[in-house]
Amino acid sequence: MSFCSFLGGEVFRNHFQPGIYVCAKCGHELFSSRSKYEHSSPWPAFTETIHEDSVAKRLERPGALKVSCGKCGNGLGHEFLNDGPQRGQSRF
């Protein structure tokens, strides 16, 4: 589930059926559909990971962490701190 398409080809952005989103490279569980929400970005948006070890994070700049699969290191995008649907929540 690496989602980075500026060309409108992102298939999971408007997908809201129940399920688990996994890494496209290794199948590691990343996000639950329960934490997914609509957002104006061209990618799917989640408030939290499904497991504590689902992703690895490193600071990229203030307010933004670079996120990769916690198992294989596949790049997944960013976690934007305090940019979720409710105050204090992050957006993945």
Side-chain angles (χ1 to χ4, degrees), residues 5 11 15 23 30 39-40 42 46 51 72 81 84 89:
S5 174
V11 298
H15 182 267
C23 175
L30 302 171
H39 190 269
S40 61
F46 302 89
H51 304 293
C72 73
L81 306 175
Q89 286 184 317

Side-chain angles (χ1 to χ4, degrees), residues 4-83:
C4 290
S5 174
F6 284 107
L7 303 176
E10 176 44 59
V11 298
F12 293 110
R13 179 177 183 228
N14 296 315
H15 182 267
F16 287 93
Q17 294 179 345
I20 304 295
Y21 292 80
V22 301
C23 175
K25 189 173 180 180
C26 74
H28 189 57
E29 292 183 341
L30 302 171
F31 304 100
S32 167
S33 59
R34 290 179 296 205
S35 70
K36 190 171 187 304
Y37 67 99
E38 289 189 51
H39 190 269
S40 61
S41 73
W43 305 283
F46 302 89
T47 56
E48 62 188 3
T49 60
I50 193 166
H51 304 293
E52 197 172 303
D53 67 345
S54 291
V55 300
K57 306 173 190 181
R58 68 174 173 79
L59 185 63
E60 184 171 82
R61 63 181 185 272
L65 304 173
K66 191 76 170 170
V67 178
S68 58
C69 174
K71 183 175 181 182
C72 73
N74 187 32
L76 301 172
H78 295 85
E79 176 182 0
F80 297 99
L81 306 175
N82 299 309
D83 191 38

